[in-house]
Each structure stands twice: as structure tokens, then as C-alpha cells.
């Protein structure tokens, strides 16, 4: 099958979070299954762009409302990612250093989608499926079906994967002219609560909708930032497919960011060496258990509770553990976490910012990974932690519920808690410390989790089965 993914992120070209990891891996696994898969994404100004060779495959002009612009599509020459990688360049609009966070993000992603559909319409052989990801690309199914200029695309099946329904990309009707001339009777397919809501439109128009775990799909019917009724109504075309992880990138035996590699057989020495490295770098005591948090410092991830959790853990449990936080996000949370360094007695530190190398060493060197998420559609961190022999301590929600079984249950290997509250999280830390002290069980659990199979093999096939249902 000919599969075309359209996304705002794709590792290693550009990544802001898990979306990048998924779109960097899934197409390669699909190609390995014998399919012709490709990714098209905006051309940002990232190191990957300058470090690779590109072919110009298309140049044209189109319009975003009254603004006419030129765009260029380039393709990586060697398909070294394992699939065809296309970057779409719109001078001055997309070619910036960051993926998101600009005032004109609406215009940037609208222009990207408009140009993408314009280009697709020139393809001689159309794809068997166009697979879009999250709200930045979710208006494509509408345009393919209801824009007059693109009627040729109306029969091409589309899939929308929702990685995160908190962000929907809504904008006002004054910007309706951004969409290529469309059948105004179809207004209802764009609208939600008085605005143009790209994610809602994607759910209504895509042939199938997937979420990145089964539990998240169930949760969305009760809690989806205003879209509950759509998920209830459209449930027939929605399915949950759990993300996998890319063992080529995330493998403690060969990880390009690690100096100290290890296998399930050498994990004790390997993890110790990585832990020592981080503890020296961050002035922590390597003899104490190390709890880490890696991620966006936002309410969704429960990051705002971390300062109080750490204070309470020190106060009520004692200073018998270390905490190290890596993340960036809301300014207030960043500041609080930075200020907390004053209470450290060589047992707390934080790195505010994005650091891919450090994240890998932290997964490898830590004893426990904390994920107090309020919402977690799938979560990849806990899967990386498992692979690197680090026990996940997670709130029982979304994909965390689907992937981490509590040690209190038969076959369990992680620690779950129910509420996003300082008390519940601190209690989970207490349970983790009890496990840490039970040296034999702790060791065998670490060995066991390294060997759990959360690879893409099964999920990549599930997506193919879904596409095949269109034929
Ligand atoms: P989300 O996509 O919601 O942020 P995921 O758990 O799916 O959450 O994926 C997060 C990805 O981003 C993981 O690969 C994680 O290691 C990485 N990540 C998040 N924050 C940082 C950071 N500050 N530095 C390095 N990597 C980070
Ligand atoms: C989103 C979600 C995260 C998920 C990732 C990849 O950013 O917040 O839970 O793992 O997408 O699907």
C-alpha cells in the first residue's frame, strides 16, 4: 500500500514530544512490512535539515485567503530514515527554529495544510491512505472531501490519529477564507462551539479515527476538553491503537547517547555507571535511589505538583532519595522547580530545557520514573523507562493504565496510584522505596521489565489492518 503520513513533527528531523517519536518510527515499521510509506512535514530550520542532502521534487504557488505564496517540496535523497521523507517549505512562515510557539501558528499550519493538499492533487498515483496526526494536520480530510478544487482527492481514505485532544487548534470564522473554496453547506463539518475547530473537523471527516491507547479513547467520551459529544457520536469509527517504541533508537545495548551500554544480563553494572555519571553531573548522592521526571512542565503532566511532592517526601519520608527533573514548559513551574534547589542537600536538582542526550542517560541511570499525569493519551516515557530497567511510578490514566501493571497484582512490575494529589504521589514514592529496599525483588523486576515487548511490531500491523478495511 502507498501510505502518506502528514505531521508537524518527525524524529530526528524535528521533535517537541511523543508525536515526533511516533511519526519517526511508525512509517519505518510500515515500510519494513513491505509498504511504500512516506512522511510530509513542514521544513523547519533544524540541524537535520543542514546535515542531509535534498532533492527538489515540486515547486508551485497557492493561496491562504488573499495571500499568495510559493512553496517547495524537498525529499531526503537516500531514504535513510527507512521511508520517503518530504519537507514542505514556505519561505518565512515554516522555516523557523522551533516547531510551535509562534503567534502566527494558525497561519503557519493552515498554509502547510493548504500547500500539502495542493501538492497532493498533482500526484499521478494517489496514496491508498492519507494519515494525519493531531490538530495541525486535521483539516486535511475536510479539504480533500469538500474543497471544490480537490474533488479528485475525495475518494482517498483518510485516518486521523489523536495523540492529544487537549489541543484542538480552534480559530474564528474570520479566518474561514484560509480554506480553499469549499461547499458552504458543509459548514457544520468545520464548526464546534462557534469556532472552526480543526480537531473536531478531523474527527467528523476522517474515514477512521484512532487514539494512541484504548483507555484514552474511553476517557475521551467523558473528558476531552469540550469534544465529549463528538466522541460519543462518532465512536463507531474510532479505535485505540497503542503506540510502540523504536528499539533502534531506544535500546540500552546500542543507544547512541549512552557511553555505558547494558543488557538484561549486565544491567546492575550498566545502570550503576549511568547513575554515577548523572549524580556527579547534578551533585546527587549515587548511593540513594534516584527518582526522575522527564517531560513538558504543564498541568496535563501533573508537573505543577512536583515541588510540593518533593518537599513532602523529604519532610515525611526523610532524605533517603534523590530527585532529578528534566523539562520545560510553564514559566511558573519552571521557576518553582529552579527555586527548590535551595533546599537540596545533595538530593535534588533540575535541568530546565530540552536535552535529548540527557534524557537517555536519565532513563538509563535512574531507579524510578515519576509520571503523575492528569491526562496521558499513551505516554512513551514509561515505555522507555521499562526498556532501560527503570521502574515507572505512574498515575492510572490513559496509556499509563494500559502499559503499567502495579506490583500488587499478579505479574505486576510498576507502581500505580489513582489521584493526582500530593498525598497519593508521595505515598507511591513511599511504596517505591519499600521495593528498592527489597533488593532481590527489585533486581528481578528490573531484569523483567527490560524484556517486556512494547515494540511497534504489533501496532504497525494494527494500522495496516485498519487501512485495509478501506479496500
Ligand atoms: P508528550 O508527547 O505528551 O510530551 P510522551 O511521553 O509521549 O509525552 O513523549 C515525550 C517524549 O519527549 C519522550 O521521548 C521524552 O523523552 C521527550 N522529552 C520530553 N521532555 C523532554 C526534555 N525536556 N528533554 C528531552 N526529552 C524530552
Ligand atoms: C501526545 C501524548 C502522549 C503520547 C504522544 C505520542 O503528545 O501527550 O501521551 O504518548 O502524543 O502519541
Amino acid at each position: 500500500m502507498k501510505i502518506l503520513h502528514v505531521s508537524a513533527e518527525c524524529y530526528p528531523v524535528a521533535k517537541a514530544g511523543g508525536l515526533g517519536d511516533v511519526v519517526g518510527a511508525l512509517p519505518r515499521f510500515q515500510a519494513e512490512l513491505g509498504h511504500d510509506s512516506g512522511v510530509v512535514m513542514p521544513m523547519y530550520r533544524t540541524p537535520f535539515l543542514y546535515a542531509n542532502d535534498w532533492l527538489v521534487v515540486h515547486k508551485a504557488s497557492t493561496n491562504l485567503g488573499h495571500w499568495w505564496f510559493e512553496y517547495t517540496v524537498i525529499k531526503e535523497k537516500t531514504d535513510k530514515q527507512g521511508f520517503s521523507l518530504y519537507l514542505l517549505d514556505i519561505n518565512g512562515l515554516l522555516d523557523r527554529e522551533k516547531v510551535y510557539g509562534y503567534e502566527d501558528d494558525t497561519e503557519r499550519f493552515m498554509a502547510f495544510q493548504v500547500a500539502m493538499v495542493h501538492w497532493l492533487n498533482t500526484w499521478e498515483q494517489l496514496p491508498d491512505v492519507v494519515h494525519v496526526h493531531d490538530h495541525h494536520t486535521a483539516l486535511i480530510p475536510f479539504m480533500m472531501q469538500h474543497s471544490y478544487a480537490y474533488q479528485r482527492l475525495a475518494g482517498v481514505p483518510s485516518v486521523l490519529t489523536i495523540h492529544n485532544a487537549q489541543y484542538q487548534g480552534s480559530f474564528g470564522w474570520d479566518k474561514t477564507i484560509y480554506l480553499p473554496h469549499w461547499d458552504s453547506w458543509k459548514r457544520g463539518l468545520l464548526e464546534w462551539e462557534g469556532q472552526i475547530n480543526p480537531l473536531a473537523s478531523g474527527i467528523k471527516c476522517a474515514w477512521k479515527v484512532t487514539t494512541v491507547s484504548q483507555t484514552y479513547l474511553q476517557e475521551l467520551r467523558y473528558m476531552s476538553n469540550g469534544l465529549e459529544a463528538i466522541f460519543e457520536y462518532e465512536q463507531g469509527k474510532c479505535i485505540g491503537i497503542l503506540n510502540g517504541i523504536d528499539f533502534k533508537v531506544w535500546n540500552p545495548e546500542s543507544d547512541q547517547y549512552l557511553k555505558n551500554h547494558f543488557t538484561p544480563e549486565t544491567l546492575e553494572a550498566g545502570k550503576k555507571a549511568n547513575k554515577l555519571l548523572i549524580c556527579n553531573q547534578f551533585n546527587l548522592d549515587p548511593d540513594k535511589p534516584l527518582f526522575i521526571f522527564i517531560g513538558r512542565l504543564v498541568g496535563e503532566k501533573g508537573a505543577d505538583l512536583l515541588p510540593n511532592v518533593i518537599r513532602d517526601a523529604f519532610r515525611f519520608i526523610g532524605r533517603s532519595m534523590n530527585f532529578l527533573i528534566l523539562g520545560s514548559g510553564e514559566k511558573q513551574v519552571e521557576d518553582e522547580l529552579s527555586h527548590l534547589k535551595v533546599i537540596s542537600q545533595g538530593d535534588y536538582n533540575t535541568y530546565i530545557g530540552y536535552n535529548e542526550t540527557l534524557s537517555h542517560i536519565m532513563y538509563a541511570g535512574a531507579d524510578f520514573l515519576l509520571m503523575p499525569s492528569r491526562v496521558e493519551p499513551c505516554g512513551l516515557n514509561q515505555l522507555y523507562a521499562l526498556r532501560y530497567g527503570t521502574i515507572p511510578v505512574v498515575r492510572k490514566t490513559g496509556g499509563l493504565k494500559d502499559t503499567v501493571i502495579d506490583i500488587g497484582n499478579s505479574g505486576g512490575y510498576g507502581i500505580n496510584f489513582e489521584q493526582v494529589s500530593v498525598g497519593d504521589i508521595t505515598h507511591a514514592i513511599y511504596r517505591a522505596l519499600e521495593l528498592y529496599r527489597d533488593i532481590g525483588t527489585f533486581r528481578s523486576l528490573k531484569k523483567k521489565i527490560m524484556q517486556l515487548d512494547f515494540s511497534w511490531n504489533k501496532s504497525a500491523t494494527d494500522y495496516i489492518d485498519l487501512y485495509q478495511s478501506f479496500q
Side-chain angles (χ1 to χ4, degrees):
M1 296 181 94
K2 197 173 176 64
I3 305 156
L4 185 67
H5 291 268
V6 192
S7 169
E9 298 178 37
C10 174
Y11 177 85
V13 193
K15 161 177 167 183
L19 170 63
D21 286 348
V22 170
V23 179
L26 173 62
R28 199 184 76 237
F29 281 82
Q30 294 178 331
E32 282 167 10
L33 290 172
H35 301 283
D36 171 5
S37 65
V39 172
V40 52
M41 66 182 294
M43 193 198 87
Y44 310 108
R45 215 177 284 188
T46 65
F48 187 92
L49 173 68
Y50 301 107
N52 289 279
D53 294 326
W54 304 90
L55 276 175
V56 173
V57 293
H58 187 72
K59 239 178 189 314
S61 60
T62 184
N63 65 307
L64 186 71
H66 303 305
W67 179 59
W68 281 85
F69 64 91
E70 291 198 345
Y71 69 92
T72 308
V73 183
I74 57 176
K75 178 176 184 291
E76 195 275 313
K77 271 186 176 166
T78 59
D79 291 349
K80 68 160 126 167
Q81 300 311 314
F83 50 83
S84 315
L85 171 65
Y86 302 97
L87 307 186
L88 193 149
D89 177 28
I90 303 173
N91 225 328
L93 203 62
L94 298 177
D95 56 341
R96 305 195 190 152
E97 276 169 25
K98 284 190 302 172
V99 177
Y100 318 109
Y102 298 100
E103 265 184 14
D104 56 353
D105 275 356
T106 299
E107 284 69 24
R108 294 173 73 228
F109 290 108
M110 276 309 298
F112 169 65
Q113 295 177 84
V114 165
M116 154 64 207
V117 178
H118 189 262
W119 172 49
L120 186 63
N121 197 40
T122 67
W123 286 30
E124 248 169 57
Q125 193 204 337
L126 292 172
D128 294 303
V129 60
V130 171
H131 190 152
V132 302
H133 297 263
D134 275 354
H135 75 84
H136 328 95
T137 55
L139 283 170
I140 289 175
F142 177 86
M143 291 188 224
M144 286 168 60
Q145 285 161 44
H146 304 295
S147 286
Y148 294 122
Y150 302 126
Q151 282 311 292
R152 183 175 165 243
L153 306 178
V156 178
S158 53
V159 172
L160 165 70
T161 291
I162 300 175
H163 298 260
N164 199 330
Q166 292 299 108
Y167 306 98
Q168 300 168 6
S170 298
F171 53 87
W173 280 99
D174 52 322
K175 296 185 176 174
T176 175
I177 52 162
Y178 289 171
L179 288 150
H181 224 67
W182 49 280
D183 176 358
S184 54
W185 284 95
K186 300 291 160 43
R187 186 187 162 103
L189 295 174
L190 293 171
E191 176 155 11
W192 194 250
E193 292 183 345
Q195 291 208 300
I196 296 181
N197 183 318
L199 194 70
S201 169
I203 300 167
K204 295 179 198 178
C205 298
W207 291 29
K208 288 277 180 187
V209 175
T210 73
T211 60
V212 289
S213 71
Q214 278 100 358
T215 295
Y216 185 52
L217 179 57
Q218 289 160 21
E219 290 172 354
L220 286 171
R221 286 168 58 195
Y222 306 100
M223 196 184 59
S224 52
N225 204 7
L227 300 185
E228 296 77 9
I230 303 191
F231 282 107
E232 183 66 33
Y233 185 73
E234 299 283 7
Q235 56 179 297
K237 69 170 175 188
C238 298
I239 87 163
I241 300 180
L242 194 68
N243 287 333
I245 64 172
D246 188 346
F247 286 174
K248 269 201 186 142
V249 180
W250 297 93
N251 181 354
E253 262 181 71
S254 54
D255 187 319
Q256 60 161 325
Y257 299 106
L258 296 188
K259 284 200 193 92
N260 306 292
H261 294 118
F262 57 96
T263 64
E265 276 59 53
T266 60
L267 88 98
E268 289 301 325
K271 283 189 74 69
K272 199 170 169 186
N274 284 298
K275 185 173 181 181
L276 202 60
L277 204 71
I278 321 171
C279 289
N280 286 340
Q281 186 182 345
F282 288 97
N283 189 28
L284 302 169
D285 179 353
D287 292 329
K288 292 179 181 172
L290 174 60
F291 288 81
I292 58 166
F293 172 96
I294 298 174
R296 295 181 288 119
L297 300 176
V298 295
E300 231 181 278
K301 300 282 177 192
D304 50 309
L305 298 180
L306 288 172
N308 281 336
V309 166
I310 293 164
R311 274 194 210 96
D312 274 16
F314 284 153
R315 193 180 312 148
F316 299 119
I317 305 177
R319 308 213 60 131
S320 53
M321 65 285 202
N322 294 309
F323 293 96
L324 178 62
I325 315 287
L326 164 63
S328 61
E330 285 163 15
K331 177 90 177 55
Q332 196 188 332
V333 181
E334 289 184 354
D335 288 348
E336 265 192 69
L337 286 166
S338 296
H339 292 153
L340 201 65
K341 286 187 204 173
V342 298
I343 70 157
S344 174
Q345 298 172 9
D347 45 17
Y348 169 73
N349 214 331
T350 182
Y351 179 109
I352 301 297
Y354 190 94
N355 189 326
E356 191 76 32
T357 307
L358 178 59
S359 74
H360 286 242
I361 307 172
M362 285 172 67
Y363 289 120
D367 296 292
F368 299 99
L369 171 86
L370 283 176
M371 290 185 80
S373 307
R374 290 191 172 83
V375 181
E376 197 61 80
C378 175
L380 297 171
N381 296 21
Q382 81 280 13
L383 304 181
Y384 299 146
L386 291 167
R387 183 80 176 141
Y388 286 64
T390 297
I391 307 276
V393 180
V394 306
R395 171 154 182 260
K396 224 169 150 188
T397 185
L400 297 175
K401 188 173 169 192
D402 294 352
T403 55
V404 179
I405 304 173
D406 190 89
I407 47 172
N409 299 321
S410 83
Y413 45 79
I415 292 177
N416 291 165
F417 53 92
E418 296 283 342
Q419 305 294 331
V420 195
S421 70
V422 173
D424 253 30
I425 306 169
T426 313
H427 181 249
I429 291 174
Y430 179 80
R431 288 185 63 212
L433 290 171
E434 280 186 332
L435 171 65
Y436 181 83
R437 282 191 289 268
D438 182 353
I439 296 169
T441 312
F442 187 52
R443 279 199 175 160
S444 63
L445 269 187
K446 283 191 282 186
K447 193 164 174 180
K448 169 179 169 161
I449 59 178
M450 279 189 75
Q451 297 170 85
L452 295 174
D453 183 7
F454 283 107
S455 74
W456 268 110
N457 296 333
K458 173 164 187 312
S459 308
T461 312
D462 289 348
Y463 278 111
I464 300 294
D465 291 346
L466 179 75
Y467 305 155
Q468 269 161 355
S469 69
F470 301 137
Q471 290 183 331

